[in-house]
Amino acid sequence: MPRIFSGIQPSGELHIGNYLGAVKNWVALQHEHESFFCIVNYHAITIAFAPEDLRRRTRDMAVGLLASGLDASRAAIFVQSDVPEHTELAWIFNTITPLGELERQVQFKEKSARQEQVMAGILNYPVLQAADILLYLADTVPVGEDQVQHLELSRVVARNWNARFSPDVPFFPEPQPKLTPTRRIPGLDGQAKMSKSIGNTIGLLESPEQVWEKLRPAVTDPARQRKTDAGEPAKCPVVYPLHRAFSPPPVVAEVEEKCRSAGWGCMDCKKALHAHMMDELTPIRVRAAELHDRPQEVDAMLHEGARRARLVARETMDTVRTRMGLDAAQ
Ligand code: AMP
Ligand code: TRP
């Protein structure tokens, strides 16, 4: 069975960009693959944080993933810092990763530009990401489009390590991204991608009223000043892409027709979107509320996930240590 790995930062509440770009795909893929899904708290500490807050956000992320449909009896769902082999392998990979490869990562350039003092963890972030994936010898990584460059680096790392320490039969596979049809969900501003750090998100667990308060003022095709003006769905930066993600195909076809013919105003269109979003999101919100009240179950699930992950991680590290001569005292 092919093996998949993916990670998500413990940002607290999932937003619909995470859900549509990654997590929904994980839920579908867990049935056909041996799956590892990791809440990457070591990645999260590369930006400012408060310890108590990080702890809460980590648990909330576990709740969000389970409520979205991840099944702990199929997939190993765990917290990165519970499996110390991640940081061990990351150190090793740091020694075979050219500095130039890290400096040209777009996310490094963006993040470091925003800070006065740049910590080394921001630069080495994608090396830890390569370790996450390769520790499980995963060849498929379901992520959103923003992670494609990081995965290129994971392939460079795999290739470099194989060339030095496993030249005849490559030990590490070269992992490939697996994108969804909704690989980049725009934020409510209609410009940047939906992102917690920009503050343009719709939370996966927000109430129907909260979601409506965000949809109501969202920008649409600027050519539609009045309800009677015809519009073009392709120029509608938020509402139309969300219809494509949440509404059934016949409704999407109707949206296109009613927009071009000015049969619907933008408010009608937003109301239809809201109804279809709630059809999908309400069961998730209800499950999350139930899980929130049963924290011991969530903790037990994370422990079991880490136990299963460690079995694989230890095996990989045994091979890595042997091939690199790091096993002298054994
Ligand atoms: P993060 O919250 O940055 O850890 O992202 C978790 C996953 O969600 C990654 O696979 C991202 O590629 C994906 N993701 C985050 N934001 C978006 C977005 N606006 N559209 C599509 N996918 C996204
Ligand atoms: N960098 C990813 C993000 O911000 C999170 C991540 C860490 C990840 N390790 C990973 C994603 C391994 C896929 C595979 O979304």
Side-chain angles (χ1 to χ4, degrees):
M1 209 161 35
R3 207 178 259 169
I4 61 174
F5 180 96
S6 199
I8 189 158
Q9 299 202 49
S11 55
E13 195 187 346
L14 286 160
H15 59 70
I16 60 173
N18 301 138
Y19 174 70
L20 297 168
V23 177
K24 193 172 171 180
N25 208 13
W26 304 356
V27 172
L29 292 166
Q30 67 183 340
H31 299 288
E32 311 141 26
H33 297 263
E34 190 183 355
S35 311
F36 295 85
F37 299 116
C38 183
I39 302 175
V40 292
N41 55 351
Y42 278 138
H43 281 99
I45 62 173
T46 57
I47 54 170
F49 72 102
E52 191 42 53
D53 195 39
L54 179 63
R55 189 174 292 120
R56 181 187 52 76
R57 287 190 272 120
T58 304
R59 291 225 178 88
D60 286 352
M61 183 53 70
V63 166
L65 293 177
L66 290 170
S68 299
L70 284 190
D71 178 351
S73 67
R74 287 183 180 279
I77 306 165
F78 64 102
V79 178
Q80 193 179 29
S81 61
D82 288 343
V83 183
E85 285 79 3
H86 286 248
T87 42
E88 184 181 1
L89 187 58
W91 173 255
I92 289 171
F93 284 166
N94 269 320
T95 66
I96 54 154
T97 306
L99 186 56
E101 293 281 350
L102 297 177
E103 284 169 338
R104 67 182 189 82
Q105 296 286 315
V106 173
Q107 289 208 352
F108 166 68
K109 289 191 214 162
E110 284 174 1
K111 286 184 198 163
S112 55
R114 279 187 242 139
Q115 291 174 21
E116 240 171 67
Q117 194 184 25
V118 180
M119 299 298 170
I122 298 226
L123 180 70
N124 295 324
Y125 179 110
V127 179
L128 178 58
Q129 182 160 351
D132 294 341
I133 300 163
L134 296 175
L135 198 47
Y136 302 93
L137 309 180
D139 49 18
T140 306
V141 185
V143 281
E145 196 170 56
D146 56 353
Q147 296 302 313
V148 167
Q149 199 188 22
H150 283 164
L151 289 192
E152 252 170 52
L153 184 93
S154 297
R155 293 196 289 279
V156 170
V157 168
R159 238 175 272 143
N160 285 357
W161 192 93
N162 288 339
R164 284 241 10 231
F165 304 111
S166 188
D168 300 329
V169 184
F171 175 60
F172 286 118
E174 292 187 20
Q176 300 294 336
K178 191 173 179 68
L179 300 171
T180 57
T182 44
R183 55 182 63 182
R184 182 189 179 276
I185 294 296
L188 281 168
D189 52 357
Q191 293 183 359
K193 71 164 186 179
M194 185 172 283
S195 164
K196 178 121 179 168
S197 60
I198 303 175
N200 60 1
T201 60
I202 296 180
L204 193 64
L205 307 180
E206 288 191 74
S207 70
E209 295 74 25
Q210 286 169 316
V211 174
W212 178 246
E213 282 315 305
K214 289 185 170 179
L215 279 183
R216 201 168 47 85
V219 284
T220 53
D221 178 358
R224 296 201 75 178
Q225 296 291 340
R226 280 173 300 267
K227 197 171 167 177
T228 47
D229 294 336
E232 173 47 48
K235 295 192 180 141
C236 178
V238 187
V239 179
Y240 179 62
L242 289 181
H243 262 298
R244 290 176 56 114
F246 283 105
S247 303
V251 175
V252 176
E254 191 181 8
V255 163
E256 289 168 5
E257 194 274 313
K258 296 280 203 260
C259 180
R260 292 195 180 110
S261 66
W264 279 355
C266 292
M267 264 321 145
D268 302 318
C269 188
K270 287 174 178 179
K271 279 183 194 148
L273 171 62
H274 185 258
H276 289 291
M277 282 178 74
M278 287 308 129
D279 285 348
E280 186 159 345
L281 301 185
T282 300
I284 297 178
R285 202 176 61 251
V286 170
R287 268 199 304 273
E290 289 166 5
L291 284 163
H292 209 85
D293 295 338
R294 303 202 303 263
Q296 289 94 339
E297 258 174 62
V298 176
D299 283 356
M301 180 282 295
L302 290 175
H303 283 138
E304 172 58 15
R307 191 191 64 77
R308 278 161 55 192
R310 267 202 109 172
L311 293 176
V312 180
R314 284 205 181 113
E315 215 176 298
T316 302
M317 286 315 299
D318 281 347
T319 304
V320 168
R321 285 195 208 99
T322 306
R323 297 283 177 94
M324 296 181 73
L326 296 166
D327 55 350
Q330 278 166 20

